[in-house]
């Protein structure tokens, strides 16, 4: 489909959030939402800024966003999926592995996406049918054909530590089956790293739409694959377990995880 706005305008808008994200004082203004679940003045600042700016790009699009989330959207109409800061705990600790992630969804699928990490000045982007890019240059998943030659990334589902046993059983299996494992702390960036070939797979339980929607399109446009643990395509406006890969190791990955309880 033809986008109702230009990608250049969208990229410029996302890049204009940099001063908000890099405000170290605001990053230290923390509110606890729940177990290991935080919001900073940066999260709120980015979201409020984009809430005001996005209607100028696409007046008719709804907004599904992490902070003050409004889950009642009409999926038959266009909508944005926004994570103002993915990797808030990283931001609080100045770990510099945080990003703003935004996807535009219409006709039942994400049509374009941007994931921007200002700490590394890296912008991942994609338009459906036009491939994926990093800072404007095309990217592709790696060609590693099996888990034995792969680097795996996993998420710990930190908001629900009752799942620690199945989470770390998945991590143990990944560790034993691959060259090594990593934990990045930003699911959207983890997906983008698979997209550009820095790793071969990523697994996490119970992600919210804003944790994977933008990265999903970027990964798929880079030649990769993302499903739930049953091999189904996740819904863009509901929580989902996520299994992502370069495509070549996907079935092996699903088999590896298939017998682990949730």
């Amino acid at each position: 489909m033809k986008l109702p706005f230009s990608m250049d305008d969208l990229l410029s808008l996302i890049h204009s959030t940099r001063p908000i994200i890099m405000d170290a004082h605001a990053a230290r203004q923390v509110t606890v939402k729940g177990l290991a679940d935080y919001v900073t003045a940066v999260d709120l600042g980015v979201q409020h800024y984009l809430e005001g700016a996005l209607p100028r790009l696409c007046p008719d699009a709804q907004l599904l966003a992490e902070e003050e989330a409004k889950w009642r959207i009409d999926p038959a109409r266009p909508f944005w999926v926004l994570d103002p800061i993915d990797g808030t705990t990283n931001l609080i600790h100045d770990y510099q592995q945080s990003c703003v992630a935004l996807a535009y969804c219409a006709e039942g699928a994400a049509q374009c996406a941007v994931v921007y990490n200002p700490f590394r000045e890296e912008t991942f982007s994609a338009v459906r049918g036009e491939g994926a890019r990093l800072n404007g240059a095309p990217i592709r998943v790696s060609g590693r054909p099996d888990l034995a030659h792969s680097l795996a990334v996993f998420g710990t589902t930190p908001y629900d530590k009752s799942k620690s046993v199945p989470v770390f059983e998945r991590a143990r299996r990944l560790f034993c089956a691959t060259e090594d494992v990593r934990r990045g702390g930003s699911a959207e960036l983890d997906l983008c790293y698979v997209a550009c070939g820095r790793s071969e797979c990523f697994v996490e339980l119970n992600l919210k739409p804003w944790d994977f929607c933008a990265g999903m399109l970027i990964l798929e446009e880079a030649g990769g694959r993302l499903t739930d643990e049953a091999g189904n395509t996740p819904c863009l406006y509901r929580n989902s377990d996520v299994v992502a890969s370069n495509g070549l190791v996907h079935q092996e990955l699903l088999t590896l995880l298939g017998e682990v309880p949730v």
Side-chain angles (χ1 to χ4, degrees):
M1 65 167 286
K2 180 177 173 56
L3 297 174
F5 49 83
S6 79
M7 276 301 289
D8 286 344
D9 287 345
L10 181 60
L11 289 168
S12 294
L13 175 60
I14 296 303
H15 288 155
S16 71
T17 64
R18 187 181 193 279
I20 306 173
I21 299 171
M22 303 301 285
D23 185 341
H25 176 70
R28 293 192 295 271
Q29 297 177 42
V30 180
T31 300
V32 178
K33 296 192 293 183
L35 179 64
D37 190 6
Y38 310 104
V39 60
T40 71
V42 172
D43 301 70
L44 296 174
V46 171
Q47 179 155 322
H48 292 159
Y49 173 71
L50 291 176
E51 280 177 337
L54 287 171
R56 294 195 289 272
L57 284 182
C58 188
D60 297 329
Q62 307 159 92
L63 178 64
L64 178 60
E66 177 172 14
E67 307 309 334
E68 304 168 4
K70 298 176 181 177
W71 287 88
R72 293 182 180 177
I73 63 165
D74 179 0
R77 293 173 46 217
F79 60 96
W80 300 99
V81 180
L82 168 68
D83 196 335
I85 293 294
D86 189 40
T88 297
T89 301
N90 285 351
L91 183 75
I92 293 168
H93 290 272
D94 194 27
Y95 197 71
Q96 302 196 353
Q97 185 75 353
S98 304
C99 66
V100 53
L102 181 69
Y104 173 76
C105 303
E107 299 180 0
Q111 301 297 333
C112 72
V114 180
V115 174
Y116 172 49
N117 178 0
F119 298 99
R120 294 187 61 158
E121 285 299 342
E122 289 189 332
T123 304
F124 298 88
S125 63
V127 175
R128 181 166 294 278
E130 298 182 14
R133 296 179 178 274
L134 168 56
N135 292 345
I139 55 173
R140 293 289 296 177
V141 294
S142 82
R144 292 178 180 256
D146 51 40
L147 289 179
H149 297 91
S150 295
L151 180 65
V153 183
F154 73 100
T156 55
T157 318
Y159 312 141
D160 186 359
K161 294 191 177 181
S162 68
K163 293 185 180 296
S164 61
V165 171
V167 163
F168 284 95
E169 174 58 21
R170 283 163 174 77
R172 186 192 69 80
R173 290 191 179 205
L174 286 169
F175 176 70
C176 291
T178 63
E179 290 183 331
D180 207 348
V181 296
R182 299 287 185 269
R183 159 71 170 146
S186 164
E188 293 280 19
L189 287 174
D190 291 336
L191 292 170
C192 290
Y193 283 13
V194 179
C196 70
R198 293 175 184 170
S199 61
E200 280 64 51
C201 58
F202 166 70
V203 174
E204 186 160 7
L205 297 177
N206 197 33
L207 286 177
K208 295 180 172 63
W210 46 78
D211 294 321
F212 68 85
C213 188
M216 178 179 178
L217 178 63
I218 292 167
L219 173 62
E220 290 176 344
E221 286 295 316
R225 187 179 174 195
L226 188 150
T227 68
D228 62 18
E229 289 196 348
N232 301 314
T233 300
C235 176
L236 298 181
Y237 48 91
R238 294 195 184 99
N239 288 18
S240 179
D241 301 332
V242 164
V243 177
S245 77
N246 65 355
L248 300 174
V249 305
H250 205 84
Q251 189 54 55
E252 185 182 2
L253 187 59
L254 290 174
T255 300
L256 181 75
L257 301 172
E259 298 177 359
V260 187
V262 175

